[in-house]
């Protein structure tokens, strides 16, 4: 069987490790893999990663050493044409023309919506691997890239703490997460931040100022506030303005971490997760599964219908937020 693999939407560290796993897992079982370039755009336009022999089939050597690199060597993109039935029809024709009988999609919720829509035009197996730093998909404890993004953000907060402490300041550090506070909440706990603002809870400026005054009275000389880009107010810059107006007791500085969080070499956790899930996706295809995402819950590989992975909000446990509060006294 010839299996196509693509990376779609926002890149995430570990995507390369996942492609490597798909290629090697298929090869070990006597099947071929082709790498589709630039996500769905490559499928619509018929653009493939070159194989070793001038063809398009990838060999185990094609993906040598891919596991430790961030980004995606297949490239990623956003492809508006794929949202239209005509674009997906063209993609199905490209699959047929090149004898591609199954598809692995590595991406986030948008990419999985695309995969679901593609099933109307392509009848072979389609299996997803969760590749997004946001950790916002149901059906897996963690997504590929999340661990690396948290490591990057935590290291940044550690460095900022030096300046915050030297100058007795407060830093508002904005991390990614338009709809999810996962990166913010886990980074806050890992970096001993005093407070966190996330989309899942209201951002109450007067209550925050009261809390900051209490911290100051108790002898705190620096404060790290982690703000998800999608918090209720819309990020750190806006919150900074409102805190200033409300009489924040610390001098403040803002840092927006931005795309730094999407790059860098993947953590061991992301490499291992990506390898397990790439392998599981091939297993699923060979077993005839379709329309599912491979994930890990606890220590089990599980397959969840793609529609269910993005149907609801992945909750952050309230106990986790309470723990954060108990630590910041
Ligand atoms: P992510 O996978 O990181 O959430 P996006 O939301 O940007 O990324 O989606 C990636 C791509 O998936 C889009 O550019 C588009 O080609 C495709 N896509 C997203 N939603 C749909 C949809 N409802 N129907 C068809 N294709 C979609
Ligand atoms: O979905 C991943 C993500 O990094 C979000 O956290 C962020 O809001 C978004 O992508 C930014 O995407 P881009 O800058 O690529 O449009």
């Amino acid at each position: 069987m010839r299996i196509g693999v693509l990376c779609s939407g926002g890149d995430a560290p570990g995507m390369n490790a996942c492609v490597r796993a798909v290629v090697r897992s298929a090869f070990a079982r006597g099947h071929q893999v082709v790498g589709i370039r630039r996500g769905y755009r490559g499928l619509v336009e018929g653009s493939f990663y070159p194989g070793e022999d001038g063809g398009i089939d990838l060999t185990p050597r094609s993906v040598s050493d891919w596991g430790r690199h961030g980004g995606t060597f297949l490239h990623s993109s956003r492809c508006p044409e794929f949202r239209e039935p005509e674009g997906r029809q063209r993609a199905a024709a490209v699959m047929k023309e090149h004898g591609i009988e199954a598809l692995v999609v590595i991406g986030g919720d948008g990419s999985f919506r695309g995969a679901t829509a593609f099933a109307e035009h392509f009848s072979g197996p389609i299996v997803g691997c969760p590749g997004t730093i946001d950790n916002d998909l149901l059906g897996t404890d963690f997504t590929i890239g999340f661990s690396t993004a948290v490591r990057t953000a935590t290291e940044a907060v550690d460095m900022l703490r030096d300046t915050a402490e030297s100058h007795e300041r407060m830093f508002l550090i904005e991390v990614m997460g338009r709809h999810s506070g996962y990166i913010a909440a886990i980074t806050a706990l890992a970096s001993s931040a005093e407070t966190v603002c996330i989309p899942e809870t209201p951002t109450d400026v007067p209550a925050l100022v009261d809390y900051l005054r209490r911290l100051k009275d108790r002898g705190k000389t620096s404060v790290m506030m982690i703000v998800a880009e999608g918090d209720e107010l819309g990020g750190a810059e806006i919150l900074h303005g409102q805190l200033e107006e409300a009489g924040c007791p610390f001098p403040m500085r803002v840092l927006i971490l931005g795309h730094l969080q999407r790059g860098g070499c993947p953590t061991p956790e992301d490499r291992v997760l990506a390898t397990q899930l790439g392998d599981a996706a091939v297993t699923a295809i060979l077993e005839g599964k379709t329309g599912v995402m491979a994930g890990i819950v606890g220590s089990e590989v599980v397959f969840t219908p793609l529609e269910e992975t993005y149907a609801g909000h992945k909750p952050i446990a309230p106990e986790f937020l309470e723990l954060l509060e108990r630590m910041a006294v």
Side-chain angles (χ1 to χ4, degrees):
M1 177 188 277
R2 193 180 237 182
I3 300 169
V5 59
L6 59 81
C7 298
S8 169
D11 67 333
M15 280 181 160
N16 284 323
C18 194
V19 173
R20 174 180 176 274
V22 170
V23 171
R24 294 199 170 179
S25 182
F27 185 87
R29 298 163 198 203
H31 299 276
Q32 295 86 48
V33 173
V34 296
I36 296 147
R37 301 181 69 204
R38 303 188 199 96
Y40 292 128
R41 176 163 304 289
L43 209 49
V44 172
E45 295 174 356
S47 175
F48 300 97
Y49 194 88
E52 294 288 288
D53 57 356
I56 59 170
D57 285 320
L58 301 177
T59 69
R61 295 286 73 72
S62 311
V63 291
S64 281
D65 201 31
W66 279 30
R68 69 191 169 93
H69 293 279
T72 158
F73 292 139
L74 294 185
H75 295 179
S76 187
S77 72
R78 300 206 157 96
C79 177
E81 292 91 322
F82 201 76
R83 291 178 183 272
E84 308 304 325
E86 298 73 32
R88 297 195 295 275
Q89 199 58 58
R90 230 174 34 244
V94 167
M95 298 270 288
K96 192 164 177 204
E97 189 189 329
H98 291 87
I100 306 168
E101 297 157 273
L103 183 65
V104 176
V105 173
I106 308 168
D109 63 316
S111 303
F112 290 172
R113 284 173 214 272
T116 304
F118 190 47
E120 292 163 20
H121 309 268
F122 171 73
S123 59
I126 305 176
V127 175
C129 289
T132 164
I133 64 166
D134 292 345
N135 199 31
D136 58 351
L137 290 165
L138 296 167
T140 190
D141 289 340
F142 299 107
T143 56
I144 299 163
F146 172 69
S147 158
T148 309
V150 167
R151 179 196 62 192
T152 303
T154 301
E155 285 174 3
V157 180
D158 286 350
M159 285 190 265
L160 287 168
R161 179 73 87 169
D162 291 343
T163 299
E165 197 44 45
S166 303
H167 289 264
E168 299 176 68
R169 281 178 185 160
M170 167 165 145
F171 269 89
L172 287 88
I173 301 127
E174 183 179 298
V175 297
M176 279 187 166
R178 244 181 306 206
H179 306 292
S180 171
Y182 254 98
I183 295 176
I186 307 293
T187 298
L189 192 68
S191 63
S192 310
E194 278 70 22
T195 183
V196 62
C197 298
I198 53 176
E200 289 80 358
T201 55
T203 301
D204 180 343
V205 173
L208 277 172
V209 171
D210 279 352
Y211 168 67
L212 293 168
R213 288 200 180 115
R214 285 201 302 280
L215 289 184
K216 190 158 190 157
D217 291 347
R218 284 190 219 130
K220 279 261 181 197
T221 47
S222 69
V223 172
M224 309 310 272
M225 179 181 275
I226 314 297
V227 186
E229 63 179 329
D231 88 304
E232 193 187 20
L233 297 183
E237 293 284 10
I238 298 171
L239 181 56
H240 173 241
Q242 296 204 10
L243 284 170
E244 200 142 63
E245 257 179 44
C248 174
F250 292 93
M252 289 180 280
R253 294 288 187 277
V254 175
L255 182 83
I256 297 176
L257 278 185
H259 291 83
L260 270 181
Q261 296 156 93
R262 289 240 295 260
C265 72
T267 59
E269 288 80 4
D270 274 333
R271 298 181 201 191
V272 170
L273 180 66
T275 304
Q276 287 177 296
L277 296 183
D279 178 69
V282 172
T283 305
I285 285 172
L286 298 180
E287 286 174 356
K289 292 192 174 71
T290 187
V292 292
M293 180 195 81
I296 293 188
V297 175
S299 53
E300 297 285 306
V301 172
V302 296
F303 296 98
T304 305
L306 287 170
E307 290 102 316
E308 287 179 23
T309 66
Y310 53 78
H313 189 84
K314 184 171 183 166
I316 300 177
E319 301 78 39
F320 188 88
L321 298 176
E322 286 160 20
L323 171 62
L324 200 57
E325 249 174 63
R326 277 200 296 283
M327 293 301 109
V329 288

